[in-house]
Amino acid sequence: MTTPPVFPTKTAAEWGTYADSLKWPTAMIIDGKPQAGRDENLVDLVTPRDGSVVTKVPYASADELEQAVSAARRAFDEGPWPRMAPKQRKELMLAWVALMEEHRTELATMLSVEMGKPIADAWGIELRALINTYRWYAEIADKELDEISPIGDDLALITREPVGVVAVVTPWNFPLTLSAWKIAPALAVGCTVVHKPADLTPLTAVRIAELALEAGIPAGVLNVLPGKGSVVGKALGLHRAVDSLAFTGSTEVGRAYMEYAAQSNLKRVWLELGGKSPNIILPDAPDLQAAIDTAAWGIFFNTGQMCTAPSRLIVHQDVADEVIAGVLAAAKNYQPGDPFDPSTKMGPLASSSRRAEVQAHVDAALADGSTLAIGGHSVDLSAPLAGGAYYEPTVFLNVNPDSSLAQNEVFGPVLAITTVKDDDDAIRVANNTDYGLAAGLWTANVSKVHRLSRQIRAGTVWVNCYEEGDLTVPFGGFKLSGNGRDKSRHALDKYTELKTTYVKL
Ligand code: NDP
């Protein structure tokens, strides 16, 4: 039995010293080599922890993008990766996983610096998800069997083939987990990848690709291009040598990727988009305190920057007073703090411009007549964190289900509470959104569990829990929350084509 890894014991100051000792990756990864980029394309990387410049990152030029796509194309069309025995791909990916484990503390610290995630969450939650996801898909590489159709005397084979070159465009909120959910299954089935990380979080993406090379993953199989979405992402979306594109981010940009595909080669486009997830608490919740604590955790974890955040709390009138009082009390435990402090539960927003966007949503909610119960303002921590992007935990009451706050994804620590009169009212309010990513339902009544969870239009319904998960279960959205599924065996559908080979015997 291997010993489980232990979160290093360090004070905030010691995490700071450790971060200062790190060597930031300052190159793109193209065709198996770090590439420095052009001086004129170097861009400051600013940490939301204190607003300081950490390093400079090279953004990909049009030339470099061509080199990366050509490298991925060559690695797919001529290279060993799609042709090697799946068992061999598995071994190489497992060697890569071992390096991720070895570099866990370094990667967690880079992540905390890039986007302000509390170090305990970065190390404990995101690095665990990264490592587990790559391990799970490495293990599946040699366990997928093909089919033979029962057609009589002839022979018909139904085989899965890798789709080809996959562009992966990812956001900054869970940059490691969300990239792994796409890159790991794509590589496991033999595709090659060009990854464009969010402009806020390029460091970890490049470092993970460096580890892939160290593990022996061949040149061109995983290329990483930092850069602006509107430039590099768009060019990948329009590129005719890209066969499939997997994206997580806003619905607006997801729509743009479908347009890029339509304008170019009809590449397959897979979208995991936003959410405005309802969390319904009924009077017969089996443990009301657990429902309250989870409602607060769900909206303040990761500073509310989570596509599945239960941002609409829909509470039955019979327990509304108790639930609201409990959530307001719990919110006080999420005062924003230094992400390097291991006891911090809520860090800054990912950038000062994100903080301005959150404030705009709050101002719109006030103008709409929602009642501000707590929060609603930026927080200026004292020096040396004075330049950080901190924001108060914020709760609105009496939110009209049609208002801007109930309809639009804030992506910040802002909870909208609506009181309903019965179950039907709860379902009507829950479904009153263009999104359909996830939902929560709290009830001990087994009939309601089945009946109501079926009525909720969402890709995941959590009953008497929230955010529970496992790699064996798929994740993705209904309606404007996207198409296709990440995680589980179902994710392999996105990176494979089904081929029929009919043989006359
Ligand atoms: P975006 O959808 O804008 O960004 C996600 C990714 O798409 C990034 O890699 C980004 O690059 C890229 N991108 C941005 N614009 C374009 C474009 N025109 N063409 C091609 N690619 C593009 O999300 P934001 O980071 O701006 O956040 C805005 C909102 O999106 C949030 O407030 C939230 O509502 C939602 N969102 C949802 C997420 C989810 O998990 N479902 C994750 C992140 C955001 P770059 O980093 O260079 O901008």
Side-chain angles (χ1 to χ4, degrees):
M1 276 258 292
T2 50
T3 345
V6 180
F7 180 51
T9 316
K10 291 185 203 291
T11 62
E14 286 166 344
W15 280 108
T17 309
Y18 175 70
D20 289 342
S21 75
L22 293 179
K23 184 173 173 298
W24 307 113
T26 51
M28 298 167 249
I29 302 292
I30 300 177
D31 203 10
K33 291 180 281 296
Q35 201 154 307
R38 297 186 186 155
D39 284 353
E40 67 269 26
N41 291 345
L42 290 178
V43 176
D44 288 346
L45 187 104
V46 174
T47 174
R49 177 174 177 260
D50 59 10
S52 65
V53 175
V54 178
T55 184
K56 286 189 182 296
V57 174
Y59 278 10
S61 65
D63 273 4
E64 286 148 350
L65 181 122
E66 271 317 311
Q67 290 171 34
V69 175
S70 303
R73 191 75 259 168
R74 252 190 333 274
F76 185 77
D77 292 341
E78 301 158 27
W81 189 251
R83 287 161 195 86
M84 67 177 60
K87 182 167 181 270
Q88 208 182 337
R89 275 204 298 274
K90 175 180 88 172
E91 297 303 336
L92 286 168
M93 288 179 73
L94 288 176
W96 186 17
V97 169
L99 288 173
M100 292 177 198
E101 284 176 319
E102 199 180 301
H103 292 267
R104 183 172 184 155
T105 301
E106 175 196 346
L107 289 167
T109 310
M110 277 183 189
L111 175 60
S112 184
V113 168
E114 282 180 318
M115 57 76 67
K117 196 175 295 256
I119 188 68
D121 293 345
W123 197 95
I125 297 178
E126 187 127 14
L127 262 293
R128 185 182 60 204
L130 173 83
I131 290 164
N132 286 349
T133 303
Y134 275 100
R135 184 182 290 124
W136 201 85
Y137 283 105
E139 287 291 354
I140 215 172
D142 63 351
K143 293 173 189 65
E144 286 295 293
L145 304 180
D146 287 326
E147 302 165 38
I148 297 178
S149 177
I151 51 158
D153 287 345
D154 293 337
L155 175 66
L157 308 176
I158 304 166
T159 51
R160 274 179 186 274
E161 299 194 354
V163 67
V165 174
V166 179
V168 172
V169 182
T170 47
W172 39 265
N173 54 336
F174 290 90
L176 307 193
T177 312
L178 300 177
S179 310
W181 285 357
K182 293 165 172 36
I183 298 173
L187 295 185
V189 297
C191 293
T192 59
V193 168
V194 180
H195 179 202
K196 196 219 79 77
D199 61 350
L200 297 180
T201 52
L203 301 179
T204 40
V206 171
R207 187 71 189 111
I208 288 166
E210 288 175 354
L211 297 179
L213 295 174
E214 202 178 320
I217 306 262
V221 170
L222 175 59
N223 307 275
V224 181
L225 294 181
K228 281 307 287 178
S230 51
V231 180
V232 178
K234 181 175 176 181
L236 288 171
L238 287 168
H239 209 296
R240 287 177 177 270
V242 172
D243 300 295
S244 181
L245 187 142
F247 169 75
T248 295
S250 63
T251 298
E252 185 193 350
V253 176
R255 200 187 294 278
Y257 277 111
M258 286 204 150
E259 285 169 10
Y260 304 149
Q263 287 164 31
S264 55
N265 59 342
L266 292 185
K267 59 180 64 63
R268 283 90 182 96
V269 174
W270 303 106
L271 305 172
E272 195 269 278
L273 306 174
K276 194 74 203 179
S277 299
N279 185 24
I280 301 172
I281 302 184
L282 298 180
D284 61 359
D287 180 344
L288 201 57
Q289 192 56 47
I292 290 167
D293 291 343
T294 307
W297 172 83
I299 190 64
F300 302 130
F301 170 63
N302 214 41
T303 323
Q305 303 166 121
M306 182 162 75
C307 49
T308 51
S311 51
R312 291 184 298 141
L313 179 57
I314 299 170
V315 57
H316 191 288
Q317 60 188 8
D318 292 356
V319 284
D321 288 350
E322 190 177 347
V323 168
I324 290 168
V327 167
L328 293 178
K332 299 204 171 87
N333 298 325
Y334 292 88
Q335 293 311 319
D338 182 358
F340 280 169
D341 182 339
S343 66
T344 291
K345 288 185 173 174
M346 190 170 90
L349 288 156
S351 67
S352 53
S353 60
R354 286 258 59 253
R355 183 166 73 170
E357 287 169 35
V358 169
Q359 190 61 56
H361 283 285
V362 166
D363 294 344
L366 288 168
D368 268 356
S370 297
T371 312
L372 181 63
I374 191 170
H377 303 99
S378 293
V379 175
D380 293 323
L381 296 186
S382 51
L385 304 180
Y390 299 90
Y391 201 84
E392 289 176 328
T394 299
V395 179
F396 280 94
L397 309 178
N398 307 319
V399 176
N400 180 329
D402 295 324
S403 68
S404 68
L405 185 63
Q407 293 296 320
N408 297 312
E409 191 173 35
V410 174
F411 236 58
V414 181
L415 180 64
I417 303 185
T418 302
T419 303
V420 291
K421 60 180 189 310
D422 56 26
D423 297 354
D424 290 343
D425 199 17
I427 296 298
R428 186 186 59 74
V429 172
N431 285 333
N432 183 41
T433 165
D434 287 335
Y435 291 115
L437 192 57
L441 174 64
W442 296 80
T443 173
N445 180 318
V446 73
S447 303
K448 286 188 188 183
V449 167
H450 285 281
R451 190 166 48 80
L452 301 185
S453 63
R454 275 205 301 268
Q455 289 174 14
I456 297 170
R457 301 271 299 148
T460 299
V461 180
W462 283 290
V463 180
N464 299 327
C465 62
Y466 206 90
E467 254 340 292
E468 295 292 333
D470 189 272
L471 278 160
T472 56
V473 295
F475 174 74
F478 287 18
K479 305 198 286 183
L480 291 193
S481 291
N483 64 348
R485 293 296 180 263
D486 285 328
K487 295 169 66 195
S488 81
R489 289 196 127 90
H490 297 279
L492 304 178
D493 295 344
K494 303 200 297 195
Y495 308 109
T496 49
E497 293 282 21
L498 278 184
K499 176 185 271 185
T500 296
T501 308
Y502 196 104
V503 185
K504 192 83 191 147
L505 295 176

